[in-house]
Structure formats: C-alpha cells, structure tokens
Amino acid sequence: MNEEILFYLFSTLMLFGGSAVVLSRNPVNAALYMILALVSLAVLFLTLDAFFLAALQVLVYAGAVMVLFLFVIMMLDVDLRERSRPNIMAAALGLVTTGAVVAILLTWVGEGSTIRPSVGSVPTPGNPLAFVTGSKAFGYALLTKYMLPIQVAGFLLLVAMVGAILLGRRTKLKSSEGKDGS
Amino acid sequence: MDGVLGIEEYLVVASILFCIGLLGVILRRNVLLILMCLELMLNAVNLALVAFARYSGNMDGVILTFFAITVAAAEVAIGLAILVALYRRRKSIFLQDLNLLGR
C-alpha cells in the first residue's frame, strides 16, 4: 500500500518536472526542475527495491551531472532565454510525432505480470545473478559476468576526462604556451 | 509488496517521460536544453530497464542501468565541453545560429 502511494506521488512529480524542463524559458529553472525529476526517479527506483541504484542516481545524476549543467549555464553567462518561438510547423509536427509514439508505446504495454518475485538481500550461491536488494550482488556481477564491460567503462571515463580537458582549454592558451616553450 | 503495483504502471510512466523528453528535443532551440531533454529520455529507459529487471527477478537489467549511468556521465562531460567550445567560436548556443546550410 505504501509503495503505491510513493509510486503515484513521485511519478506525478517526475512527469511534472519533466514537462517543466521542456516548457520553462529560463535554463536555470529547467535545470532545477530536472533535479526534481531525477530525484523522483530515484524514489521510483526505491519502490522497485533497487536501493543501490537509487543512491547512485542521486549521487551521479542529481549531484554530479546537474551540477555540471548549472556550472556551464553560469559560466556561459549570456541571456540564454530563447528569443524566437518555435516554428509552428515544427511544433505541430513534433506534437503529432510525440503523440503517435505515446500511442504506440501505450498500446504495446499490455497486461503485464503484477506479481513480483520475492527478493532476498544477499546473492545465494545457487543463483548468484538473481535480483537481490543488497549491493553485494553488484560487486559479484561486476567482477564475474561483467568483468570486461566494467574495464571498458573505466577506460571510457578516462577518455571522457581527457577529451573534456582537451576540448575545454582555450585555443589562445596553446599559442602562448608554444611561445613560452620555444 | 501486495502485488497490486504491476509492471505496466512503470512502463506507462517510462513511456510518457520518454515522449516528454522527445518533445523537448524536437521543440527546443537551446543546445543546453536539448542535452537535458536527452538525459530525460535516457532516464526513462533506465526506469523501464529496472522495472523489467525487478519483475523478471534478474540482476542484468540493473547492471545495464549502472553502465548506462556511467556512460551518461561521460557523455554529459563531453557534450558540455563541446558546447563551451562551440560557444567560444560562435558566441551562441541556439540552433538557428548554428545553421550552416541555407543562410
């Protein structure tokens, strides 16, 4: 019963936050509504018994990613409000396309199972990759079945860091550095 | 817990959130906001993945969401760095100013 209340409350909040991101004129407001949507999504993860993922969602998305967005909004320091209204034709086409996608997705969602499998809190030796609430299953899965993907993910983060530093430095800096070096 | 909340509720919410994000990508003219709406779409897919994982009693969907969050963090860092470089060169982040065809 409590799960249902949480689900309906926070899915409403999440959809409200998402719509406000699309509709708000000021990017700072949009970023704050985005944080609302992401934290509500973390609560929806909680109702699905994915506790570690909910913590990760708050830490990585609502924490790091949105701070990065707000930092860039404030660093650019220009009037970021949209000057022109969107093209009527493009808006109508976008609404029709989105409505069609909603209709297709909602007809696809048929009668699913309402019975949740019962979950334990730690992985069992018999079926170590079954859904459990504890974060121990993450460690087990990441170090056995997903050994290669986690190495690739680590390398991806390194590449992203180097790429962001390279893209973010000023081009003037490079020429002055060349003068200093020579 | 009492089995009333089925998987279709989660899928409906995820679909609606995905389409809100899609609408934002189509309608907005600000590259920053388009990136945000892309994140919204990615999060909708994450919700569907976790719901599938929970109702099938399998850990794979949750692990995939874990990797999706990792990749999204890297993607945002690179995307915003490209955005800043673009703003330095063009002095604008609006799509109508970045149009290279038909000017």
Side-chain angles (χ1 to χ4, degrees):
Chain A
M1 197 60 210
N2 287 329
E3 266 181 0
E4 273 185 81
I5 297 170
L6 273 182
F7 172 77
Y8 285 113
L9 178 66
F10 281 95
S11 55
T12 315
L13 263 179
M14 184 178 75
L15 293 181
F16 166 72
S19 319
V21 171
V22 175
L23 295 176
S24 64
R25 307 221 98 199
N26 192 339
V28 179
N29 287 349
L32 294 179
Y33 281 122
M34 182 89 185
I35 292 177
L36 173 71
L38 295 177
V39 172
S40 309
L41 185 64
V43 178
L44 290 190
F45 283 166
L46 285 183
T47 67
L48 283 168
D49 301 322
F51 301 132
F52 183 64
L53 214 54
L56 214 63
Q57 173 86 7
V58 173
L59 281 178
V60 175
Y61 261 118
V65 168
M66 290 321 290
V67 165
L68 208 60
F69 267 108
L70 281 170
F71 184 72
V72 168
I73 290 172
M74 289 168 186
M75 193 176 81
L76 290 184
D77 192 29
V78 284
D79 189 20
L80 291 169
R81 288 153 210 254
E82 299 191 11
R83 286 157 297 180
S84 63
R85 297 199 152 269
N87 191 340
I88 300 293
M89 193 69 187
L93 268 177
L95 279 173
V96 167
T97 314
T98 312
V101 174
V102 168
I104 291 168
L105 286 177
L106 293 190
T107 49
W108 253 70
V109 178
E111 285 293 307
S113 76
T114 57
I115 299 128
R116 296 186 176 199
S118 59
V119 289
S121 59
V122 286
T124 54
N127 187 7
L129 287 178
F131 191 96
V132 292
T133 56
S135 52
K136 200 175 175 182
F138 265 85
Y140 186 83
L142 287 179
L143 291 181
T144 52
K145 191 179 176 186
Y146 292 95
M147 191 66 189
L148 182 64
I150 192 142
Q151 311 252 359
V152 174
F155 191 70
L156 181 81
L157 286 176
L158 175 70
V159 170
M161 188 180 75
V162 173
I165 291 172
L166 267 180
L167 283 169
R169 61 193 273 181
R170 293 175 188 277
T171 42
K172 282 177 193 168
L173 200 71
K174 208 195 289 178
S175 58
S176 68
E177 259 180 10
K179 278 172 200 165
D180 290 343
S182 59
Chain B
M1 215 161 276
D2 49 357
V4 179
L5 209 56
I7 189 171
E8 64 259 42
E9 275 92 345
Y10 286 99
L11 293 187
V12 166
V13 169
S15 316
I16 296 173
L17 187 68
F18 184 85
C19 291
I20 289 173
L22 180 65
L23 191 64
V25 171
I26 293 174
L27 286 185
R28 298 311 299 254
R29 291 284 171 272
N30 190 335
V31 179
L32 205 63
L33 276 163
I34 289 175
L35 265 178
M36 268 190 224
C37 292
L38 274 177
E39 293 301 309
L40 222 53
M41 292 167 75
L42 212 59
N43 274 292
V45 176
N46 282 350
L47 178 61
L49 265 175
V50 177
F52 281 130
R54 177 68 185 82
Y55 282 90
S56 67
N58 205 330
M59 203 64 193
D60 290 331
V62 182
I63 302 285
L64 190 55
T65 309
F66 175 81
F67 285 117
I69 290 177
T70 312
V71 172
E75 174 229 317
V76 165
I78 289 290
L80 288 176
I82 290 176
L83 186 73
V84 170
L86 194 70
Y87 177 72
R88 282 198 187 127
R89 175 153 298 213
R90 300 248 167 182
K91 298 291 170 219
S92 170
I93 56 166
F94 292 100
L95 282 187
Q96 67 259 30
D97 300 329
L98 305 175
N99 188 4
L100 292 180
L101 289 173
R103 263 202 300 199

